[in-house]
């Protein structure tokens, strides 16, 4: 009996990989350009090879217009967006220091949790999931808390709300604090304006707005952040994510720190070239247009958006689940029928919203139309009458 099932299992394991065809309309990962897949299949060289060092430098340069950074540095961390978050916290939040966080969703909670594990005292400004902080509220909070580091999430993927950073950064700088901005869902799909906003440490990932597979986390660091880091006398609690060591490997001495995932750098370089060729402003405008069209059509189906118009993330739409409809069943229909992936809500928004991403190649009117046709069919099959 057991030999038979082992035999069957082995046969299954020897079948070639055949991932199903999916339309990734969720919060990430997003659709990958065929050029990026081709880049992934290129032969690798060593991680200290001059060719690879050049690839790393190309990636750092190509990231600058996407982040909107001219005065600071860009770096790439081996790991997903959470590794970038962990690097930001482990290098800039010292044990015993005060970390003030704008808490209005799942990812600001994760940021807060990481700061706590790094020994910081946490000051939280809490709001309901989907709400944002006004300039005056943000400034008051920072004046009250007197933090060393402030954290906020630019595009909160769990809620669909966009938090502007200008006022947060201005108040933090007045208080002598550094600002960590989570740009995981915004980078590549909407303007981050790193310099203009005044962010000190931003991190992102490859698999959302950059339309690349997951695996790397691009960081941007202001001159202030770099100066602060150089002057830090205590050691970061993380060796692997120590930005002094990573900065030295990737931009100064090129001495071994860890073996960079070569193929992922190839992929990211290609994904950034795709973006550069389209033109960053054009790309942002295409995403805005797709979003406006999406919202107009959603409203004409008598559905409503979870976040007020002024605070929506153009690339990640939260649509309220209509009364009487089971969102999980709608999502299952979409996945099993046309092969469309979207996400549901979680935490306080469980069962209350659909999270629909319009990122990279999917951010066109034609693709929105295709999506809405299928979405509408799935909703109707689950009892929705508009
Ligand atoms: C996805 C996401 C993260 C975490 O990134 P991973 O690549 O999943 O580790 C962090 N913050 C935000 C806002 C995200 O959307």
């Amino acid at each position: 009996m057991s030999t038979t099932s082992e035999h069957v299992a082995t046969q299954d394991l020897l079948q070639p990989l055949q991932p199903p065809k999916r339309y990734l309309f969720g919060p990430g990962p997003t659709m990958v350009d065929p050029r990026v897949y081709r880049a992934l299949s290129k032969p690798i060289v060593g991680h200290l090879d001059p060719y690879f060092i050049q690839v790393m430098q190309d990636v750092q340069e190509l990231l600058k217009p996407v982040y909107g950074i001219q005065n600071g540095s860009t770096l790439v961390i081996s790991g997903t967006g959470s590794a970038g978050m962990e690097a930001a916290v482990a290098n800039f939040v010292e044990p015993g220091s005060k970390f003030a966080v704008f808490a209005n969703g799942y990812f600001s909670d994760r940021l807060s949790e990481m700061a706590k594990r790094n020994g910081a005292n946490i000051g939280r400004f809490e709001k309901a999931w989907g709400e944002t902080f006004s300039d005056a509220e943000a400034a008051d909070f920072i004046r009250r808390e007197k933090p060393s580091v402030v954290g906020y999430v630019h595009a909160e993927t769990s809620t669909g709300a966009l938090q502007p950073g200008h006022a947060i950064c201005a108040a933090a700088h007045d208080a002598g604090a550094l600002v960590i901005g989570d740009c995981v869902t915004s980078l590549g799909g909407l303007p981050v304006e790193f310099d203009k906003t005044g962010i000190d440490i931003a991190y992102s990932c490859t698999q959302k707005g950059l339309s690349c597979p997951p695996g790397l986390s691009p960081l941007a660091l202001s001159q202030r952040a770099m100066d602060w880091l150089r002057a830090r006398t205590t050691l970061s609690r993380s060796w692997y994510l120590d930005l002094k060591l990573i900065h030295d490997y990737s931009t100064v001495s090129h001495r071994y720190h860890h073996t960079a995932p070569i193929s992922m750098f190839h992929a990211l370089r290609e994904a950034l070239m795709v973006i550069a060729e389209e033109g960053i402003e054009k790309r942002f405008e295409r995403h805005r247009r797709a979003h406006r069209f999406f919202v107009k059509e959603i409203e004409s189906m008598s559905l409503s958006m979870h976040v007020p118009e002024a605070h929506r993330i153009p690339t990640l739409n939260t649509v309220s689940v209509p009364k009487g409809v089971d969102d999980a069943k709608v999502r299952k229909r979409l996945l099993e029928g046309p092969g469309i992936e979207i996400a549901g809500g979680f935490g306080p928004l469980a069962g209350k919203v659909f999270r629909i991403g319009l990122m990279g190649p999917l951010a066109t009117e034609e693709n929105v139309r295709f999506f809405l046709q299928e979405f509408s069919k799935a909703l109707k099959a689950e009892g929705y009458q508009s």
Side-chain angles (χ1 to χ4, degrees), residues 98 100 102 125 134-147 150 167-168 170-177:
K98 182 70 173 275
F102 291 91
F125 187 169
S134 75
D135 292 357
E137 284 173 339
D140 278 351
F141 171 63
I142 291 168
R143 266 196 299 272
R144 246 191 348 264
E145 294 289 328
K146 300 183 182 53
V150 175
I168 293 175
H173 293 167
D174 283 346

Side-chain angles (χ1 to χ4, degrees), residues 27 79-83 85 107 110 153-158 182-185 203-208 214 216:
T80 64
S82 305
M85 188 190 285
F107 290 105
R110 183 179 289 186
V153 177
H154 183 215
E156 182 46 87
T157 323
S158 63
D182 177 315
C183 299
V184 176
T185 286
Y203 55 85
S204 188
C205 73
T206 42
Q207 79 275 14
K208 295 180 188 175
L216 292 177

Side-chain angles (χ1 to χ4, degrees), residues 146-196:
K146 300 183 182 53
S148 305
V149 182
V150 175
Y152 79 101
V153 177
H154 183 215
E156 182 46 87
T157 323
S158 63
T159 70
L162 188 71
Q163 175 62 49
H166 294 87
I168 293 175
C169 295
H173 293 167
D174 283 346
L178 291 166
V179 179
I180 296 177
D182 177 315
C183 299
V184 176
T185 286
S186 46
L187 190 73
L190 56 134
V192 167
E193 299 186 320
F194 181 90
D195 285 344
K196 217 160 130 190

